[in-house]
Amino acid sequence: MSRNAQFAKPGLALTAPVFYVLLSLSIKERHGYEILKYVEANSEGRIRLGPGTLYTTLKRMLDAGLISELIDRPEPENDDARRRYYKLSPRGRAELGAELGRMQHALKLAGKRRARAST
Amino acid sequence: MTRRLLRLGERVYGLLVGLYPKRFQEQFGWSMKQNFRDLLDDPDMPTSRIWLSVLRDLGSSFVHEHLANLTGGRFMTRFPLPAGALRVAMVVVLIGATPLATGAAGYYLGRSQVQPVAESAFPPVMYQTFYFAHGTKWKTPFVCPVAPAPGVPAVDTWVFVEVTGTNEPQCPSAP
C-alpha cells in the first residue's frame, strides 16, 4: 500500500502526532518549531515531539498530500529565509474534519452508555 | 548555557542527523538542526529534557525512516511501531553488537599495545626442544660434519652431543 493510499480511506484513526499537526495548521501556517510548541502546549504536555519525529511525520503528511509547503513567507523580514512553513491542504482539512467527526461520534456513544448505566 | 556548549550540542546533533537516510537529510536536515537550535535557545526548556527527547526521538524516527527508505514507503503505516517492540529490538541489537565491539577493541589493543617477545639469541634449532638425559649427561641431537669412513669427505649428519648449562652445543672435534 502506498503512503497516499494509507490516508485515502477516511474514517481510519490518525496517529496523535498527525492529528495535532493537522490541528495546529488548521489555525494558521506554521514552521516546524511553531508546530512542535503548539502540539506540546495543546496536548497538555502529553505529546512531545522531537525534531526527528516531527519531520518524519511532516514528510509522511507531505507525501500523503495532507499538508503542503508554503511558497510565500508570512513574515519574510523577521525570519530566516531557509525556514520552511507548512499549510493545511484541502485533503488535510477533510481528514481533520473526519477525525473530529469520529471523535464526536465516540464521545456521543460514550455519553449514551454512561446515561444508560446510571439509570 | 555557554556559547561553547551550545556549539558542541549543535555539532553533536548535526552528527546524529547524519544517521538519517541521505534523501531525508537533504530535505529536512537543515530544518531539524534549526529546530534543535530553537529548542536550545528556549529558556523554558531544560537542556537535559531536550537531550532526553532527542535520544528517545532517534530511537523511533530514525528506525522508521530507514525502514521506509528501504521498503519504498510501504512500511509506513498510519500507526506508529509499538514502543515496546522498538525497545526490545534496540536491546537485541545492543546485546549482539557488544561482543563484536569488545572483540574489535580487544583485537585493536592487542595489535597496538603488546610488543612481540624478543627473539631467542639461539638459532631455532632442534636442541632447544629435544633435550633428554643420556646416562648422567644431558644430550641433544645436533647436525655435525661427520666422515663416514677414514679418507672420505665429511657429511652433515645428526649426532648426539653433550650439553652443559646454557652453552650452545658443540660438535665433537674430529679424532
Side-chain angles (χ1 to χ4, degrees), chain A residues 7-50:
Chain A
F7 287 100
K9 293 176 185 168
L12 282 179
L14 300 172
T15 60
V18 171
F19 172 73
Y20 278 104
V21 171
L22 286 177
L23 202 61
S24 75
L25 296 177
S26 69
I27 302 160
K28 66 167 190 165
E29 299 92 354
R30 295 174 201 267
H31 59 69
Y33 190 62
E34 276 186 296
I35 297 173
L36 192 139
K37 294 295 280 180
Y38 178 92
V39 171
E40 187 174 339
N42 285 273
S43 66
E44 293 166 348
R46 275 173 293 185
I47 295 168
R48 286 180 183 149
L49 298 176

Side-chain angles (χ1 to χ4, degrees), chain A residues 6 15 33 37 40 52-53, chain B residues 27 42 49 57 76 78:
Chain A
Q6 285 156 21
T15 60
Y33 190 62
K37 294 295 280 180
E40 187 174 339
T53 311
Chain B
Q27 203 175 354
D42 193 335
R49 211 181 98 190
D57 199 37
M76 299 297 283
R78 291 168 77 102

Side-chain angles (χ1 to χ4, degrees), chain B residues 42 79 138 142 157:
Chain B
D42 193 335
F79 307 100
W138 288 94
F142 200 65
T157 311

